[in-house]
Every structure is written in structure tokens, then in C-alpha cells.
Amino acid sequence: MTNTLDPWSSSDIADYSKLFEEFGISPFDEILPEVPSPSTYMRRRVIFGHRDYEQIAEAMRTGAPFSVMDGFMPSGKIHLGHKMVMDQIIWHQQMGASAFVGIADREAFSVRGFSWQKCREIGTEEYILSLIALGFKPDGLIYFQSGCESVKDLAFELGVKVNFSELSAIYGFSGETNLSHMISVATQAADILQPQLEEFGGPKPVVVPVGPDQDPHLRLTRGLAGKMNMFRIEERENTNGWKYFSVRGKGAPKEALQELKKRIPGKVKLYEEHIDVLQTPDYPFLMRLVSEVRKADRKNQYLAEIESVSRFMEDAKPPEFAEYEKYFVFRKIWKLTKKILEQIVAEIAAEFGGYAFIPPASTYHRFMSGLQGGKMSSSVPDSYIALTDDPKEGAKKVKRAKTGGRVTLEEQKKLGGISEECSVFELLLFHLLEDDEELLEIRQECVSGTRMCGSCKQLAAEKMSEFLKDHQEKRELAREHLDEYRIIYKK
Ligand code: SF4
């Protein structure tokens, strides 16, 4: 498997930049200024990539509905790697997302051979208690895949749109792969699309925070989202080089297609005219487009955005628009037009029992390395810290961890440490130090040779022990409050 990321083996991705080229993941840096109060992981570049996060950032800014979704296979001890994902779910929930957490017991059953009972125990004891202890709010939904009828039904429907060749291209499946494993893949796609079902408020942007090894699930699900939809909106170009939106409803019921024609024909011209404006834009033409978009927005859902374009046009000294101003207005109208079209299409799809999924967005975070260097491995307890480790033992593990320090003190003073190869610094960066300034100071002292590893280890060990103690107390509290949460178990 050269260009396949395998989510079932913890592959070490040495060169993240390859992901940008090979898999079309965009650098997170580009979107960072659009995110209101970015999270610690974002600020510290632990989150390095994304797909379509623009729609999530926009929903956060405008207060539009959006969701965060993630899943955990109940396979063993909950550790700091899982905490990273939980932190991101909770952060998005605090930013206004409706949150969904799936316990992937179908995956554990099919891939690990665990019994349903064992999945339930590990899922609750390890994952759910820590999720709540870290701050998950009760208005989110937690479910075991095996107990969630809507996920199971959707997984079955999704199965129609995916075949074995596709699965083996994405995951490297072979003739030896068991059928349940394949079903668990469809189930995970259903997990990701579930927040957009009518019973959860219909189509909306959904973000899935993952490590890069989980990207195959995202690529599969994004493809399936398009294939499941009753209508497809495409940007096309005619023979004159004019771009336009085309709405196609292959396989949609006749009545739905009639309804589409009824709702869209008056606006088709508007969509077709857009690209020409790039060559011959003038003020009256752009004004007309704004007024047509306003008319098309029957439910006034985009009123604020339309008003802001209008205000911009009034303020920008009409009619002598600069080129960049024309382009700016044009792009805004193009985006609004697409949103309104999506809205119309989603309403008709819902009316006629179809889907209008928006392809899910995702963020990608760096993996934590093992405490001894290399990868974290569940079979080597010294390579990771579990959230249920005894606090004293957790502190000892930190003290035994591999640092980026030099062999002798003299060398350390002369050459400085290598903080980017230091698992102790990584613990401070990912989990233990909230203050960015303090972290930067430690890094500076490290690379300049004025800091010795012993002081970092001492600091990290103390903070780790405090964190574990506090977290474990909160886990016990969570146990008492489990019934206040919406949790769907296998019946
Ligand atoms: S001084 Fe601190 S940050 Fe630098 S290598 Fe040593 S432990 Fe790591």
C-alpha cells in the first residue's frame, strides 16, 4: 500500500506535507484567521490540515447550525491520543455545534472480535466517562452503533452506493476481508452523515476532527454523500465559456423534478449569467444580481450577507468600481447563489423523502509520539499515558520519557536541546501547559541551551499527576451523572 492510509494500523506519517498534495487536504494556516477564538490545538499548529473547514468557520461566525461528529472504537485503554479528539469535540460543542459521539462497537466486533458486552463495558468505562469528565455537555448525543437504528438503516442504504473495488482501492481490502468489516465501514460513513438526517434538523455542515490515518473514512463518506443525494448541483461551463450552476436529479421522482422546475426556472438565468460578469462586470449589472439573489432568498436566511454586499457596493464609490471590488462582489453573489440553490434543493429532497447531504468537513491533527520515541503502542504501556493511569505512575512515565536533550550537559549548553523531537515538550505543548507564552519561553530556553531536561521533566511530571488526579475525580462524578446524558445502548 503505497498511497493508501490505513486507519486500522497506526501508520507513522512522517511527512504531513505529502498529504496536502496526494489527498487534497488543505493547510489549516490558511483558514486560521477566519476561525473565531481558535482553540489551543489550532493556535499551536497541532491541527495542521482541513477539508472544507470554511463552512464550519462561517457557521461559527454567523450562528448557523452545524455539527461536530466523531467516533471511538472501544478497543482498549483511553489515552492522551483519544483526549485530543475529545477536546476538539468539546471545543466545537462550546462553539455552538450539536455534538454526536459514536462508540464504534460494530467495528470492534468485526475487526477485533470483541463481544457486544465487552464493547459496552469498554465504551462506557473508558470512553464515555472520560468524555463527560473532559466537559462534554448533556445536550450532545452519545450512541453505540449497534443500538442506533438510524445509523444502521443509513449504513444499509449507503451500502448500495459502494462496491468492493472501491473499498479495496481506499482501504486496501483483499479477498480475505470479512463482510462485517465492510459493513462497519458503511456504518462509519453513516455515523458521519447522521447529523444531517431530518430527525436531527436536516442538512448542515458537519466537522469530523481526525488524525490523518482516518482520512480514508472521510474520502469515502464525502463521495457517498454526493451519490446519495436526490439532486446534484454542479458548476459547469458552456461553449461560450460561461459558467453556470446545473441542478441534476437523476433518479429523482417525477413530482420532485416538477417541483424543482417550479422553484428554479425564474432564477436559471441568474445562475447562467454569473461568470460573464468576470469579463464585463459593471455596477448596474452587479446591482441587478444582488437584487435577484435577494428575491431568490425567499426565507431571508441570507439577509445579513446580502445586506453586507449591498452596503459594500454603496460604500465603494459606484459606478467606478475597482477590479478587485467587482471580483469581491461577484464571488460573494456566486457563493450566495449556491447556498440558496442548496437550500431549495434540500427542501424539495426532504419533501420527497430524499437526501441533500453536504460533504462532511474535517480537521487533521498531528499524532502524539510514544513516550519512548517512535509510535505509541497499546501493547507497550510505557509508550503512552492512559487517562486512568495512577497519577504517581503517570508522573513516573513522564520522568522515564525520551527527551530531545543531548548526551552530556556540556553539549546541551553548547548546542541546545531539540524540542521538536522531545516527547516531554510534546506533552506540555499538547496537554499540560495552557499559557502560550510560558511554552514559547521553555522552547526558547531549550534551543538556546539554558534549560536542562530535568526541569522540564519535573514540571511535566507534576502537571501530569495533577491532571490525572483531577480527571479521575471528574470521571467518578460523571459516573453518578450518566443518566443525565443521552446515551443509546444496544438493546
Ligand atoms: S530541555 Fe526540555 S524541551 Fe528541551 S529537550 Fe530537554 S526536556 Fe525537551
Side-chain angles (χ1 to χ4, degrees):
M1 281 190 280
T2 48
N3 63 349
T4 307
L5 291 173
D6 178 2
W8 288 282
S9 78
S10 52
S11 43
D12 187 19
I13 303 202
D15 185 2
Y16 291 117
S17 65
K18 263 198 211 140
L19 293 168
F20 299 140
E21 294 145 31
E22 269 187 54
F23 297 106
I25 293 172
S26 307
F28 202 82
D29 276 354
E30 291 171 7
I31 186 96
L32 192 62
E34 292 176 36
V35 182
S37 348
S39 69
T40 312
Y41 291 135
M42 290 172 179
R43 285 199 318 273
R44 295 183 179 177
R45 312 278 193 276
V46 173
I47 294 173
F48 65 88
H50 76 99
R51 281 185 203 273
D52 283 357
Y53 198 77
E54 294 87 354
Q55 46 175 333
I56 303 297
E58 188 178 316
M60 286 193 273
R61 287 196 309 271
T62 60
F66 72 106
S67 293
V68 59
M69 191 288 137
D70 230 310
F72 298 92
M73 176 161 74
S75 57
K77 284 197 158 298
I78 178 156
H79 53 63
L80 291 172
H82 300 116
K83 173 182 174 287
M84 287 177 70
V85 177
M86 291 182 177
D87 285 341
Q88 294 178 70
I89 297 170
I90 293 162
W91 183 82
H92 281 99
Q93 194 184 28
Q94 286 164 351
M95 294 300 284
S98 52
F100 295 73
V101 175
I103 303 296
D105 56 349
R106 275 188 156 193
E107 190 185 4
F109 189 98
S110 64
V111 179
R112 299 285 166 95
F114 287 3
S115 69
W116 297 119
Q117 185 53 31
K118 186 168 178 180
C119 289
R120 180 174 171 138
E121 278 164 21
I122 300 177
T124 310
E125 270 302 313
E126 295 289 330
Y127 296 81
I128 297 178
L129 288 183
S130 274
L131 177 73
I132 295 173
L134 288 168
F136 190 78
K137 287 187 283 182
D139 57 3
L141 177 68
I142 303 169
Y143 62 90
F144 285 73
Q145 289 173 324
S146 60
C148 190
E149 295 306 319
S150 48
V151 160
K152 287 193 284 186
D153 287 350
L154 182 56
F156 186 75
E157 288 180 46
L158 293 173
V160 175
K161 301 288 181 189
V162 62
N163 61 33
F164 179 71
S165 320
E166 252 174 294
L167 291 185
S168 60
I170 298 176
Y171 297 108
F173 281 177
S174 70
E176 304 299 308
T177 308
N178 71 56
L179 181 59
S180 296
H181 191 170
M182 290 182 229
I183 295 172
S184 83
V185 168
T187 310
Q188 280 165 73
D191 283 330
I192 297 173
L193 294 174
Q194 172 174 243
Q196 299 195 62
L197 294 178
E198 276 311 298
E199 61 185 286
F200 296 108
K204 67 177 86 59
V206 178
V207 60
V208 191
V210 290
D213 59 333
Q214 299 297 311
D215 189 53
H217 297 314
L218 266 302
R219 277 183 284 141
L220 174 73
T221 309
R222 287 168 62 87
L224 282 173
K227 287 185 198 166
M228 292 297 284
N229 287 350
M230 183 175 272
F231 300 108
R232 189 180 289 195
I233 302 172
E234 289 167 356
E235 287 186 29
R236 297 185 149 202
E237 201 169 298
N238 69 13
T239 45
N240 299 327
W242 282 34
K243 272 191 189 158
Y244 61 98
F245 289 118
S246 147
V247 183
R248 300 203 305 158
K250 214 173 147 199
K254 220 165 69 202
E255 298 78 11
L257 289 169
Q258 279 165 354
E259 185 62 22
L260 183 75
K261 276 195 191 137
K262 229 197 298 170
R263 303 266 296 269
I264 289 188
K267 283 112 203 163
V268 166
K269 200 155 179 292
L270 165 69
Y271 311 133
E272 288 188 348
E273 273 174 324
H274 274 178
I275 199 59
D276 202 45
V277 90
L278 281 181
Q279 285 114 44
T280 57
D282 62 26
Y283 187 79
F285 186 72
L286 287 172
M287 278 299 266
R288 189 162 62 75
L289 286 183
V290 174
S291 97
E292 289 193 40
V293 166
R294 197 193 298 275
K295 267 190 268 163
D297 182 26
R298 295 186 315 164
K299 293 188 170 173
N300 289 337
Q301 279 179 307
Y302 303 105
L303 197 60
E305 287 172 72
I306 295 170
E307 290 308 325
S308 96
V309 181
S310 298
R311 266 199 309 280
F312 177 85
M313 291 188 73
E314 279 161 23
D315 293 346
K317 294 196 199 69
E320 295 89 15
F321 253 26
E323 280 308 307
Y324 78 88
E325 287 166 335
K326 287 171 188 167
Y327 184 72
F328 172 79
V329 172
F330 170 74
R331 288 309 310 171
K332 286 261 176 188
I333 301 172
W334 180 258
K335 261 174 81 180
L336 278 166
T337 305
K338 186 160 188 211
K339 281 191 200 168
I340 292 167
L341 262 182
E342 282 169 352
Q343 185 63 38
I344 294 172
V345 152
E347 281 167 15
I348 300 173
E351 229 169 276
F352 292 91
Y355 296 116
F357 293 123
I358 297 170
S362 45
T363 57
Y364 300 88
H365 53 258
R366 283 163 49 191
F367 293 124
M368 283 193 70
S369 36
L371 293 175
Q372 304 299 322
K375 297 178 200 167
M376 276 202 282
S377 163
S378 51
S379 56
V380 185
D382 255 9
S383 73
Y384 68 91
I385 292 176
L387 301 191
T388 49
D389 272 350
D390 175 70
K392 281 193 197 132
E393 180 52 28
K396 277 189 197 155
K397 281 186 182 177
V398 174
K399 291 204 170 161
R400 289 198 293 266
K402 180 179 166 290
T403 71
R406 306 287 175 174
V407 182
T408 64
L409 281 183
E410 285 69 38
E411 264 188 60
Q412 177 93 351
K413 284 182 188 160
K414 199 166 137 209
L415 303 169
I418 311 172
S419 58
E420 59 271 29
E421 288 177 15
C422 175
S423 56
V424 176
F425 186 76
E426 201 180 81
L427 288 172
L428 295 170
L429 174 88
F430 283 35
H431 299 286
L432 300 175
L433 263 195
E434 274 174 30
D435 186 346
D436 288 355
E437 296 284 319
E438 196 181 344
L439 192 70
L440 285 173
E441 214 170 285
I442 290 177
R443 188 174 174 278
Q444 186 51 37
E445 288 173 7
C446 165
V447 296
S448 65
T450 56
R451 192 175 182 95
M452 299 301 123
C453 297
S455 58
C456 282
K457 282 189 168 179
Q458 186 61 31
L459 175 71
E462 276 167 22
K463 291 214 171 267
M464 182 57 74
S465 157
E466 275 166 32
F467 164 73
L468 290 174
K469 190 165 170 289
D470 177 63
H471 181 70
Q472 287 163 20
E473 280 167 15
K474 287 182 176 150
R475 278 173 54 91
E476 289 316 305
L477 219 61
R479 196 189 299 282
E480 289 167 25
H481 292 272
L482 267 182
D483 55 359
E484 291 164 26
Y485 285 78
R486 288 198 292 160
I487 306 176
I488 305 175
Y489 294 100
K490 183 175 171 59
K491 288 180 190 77

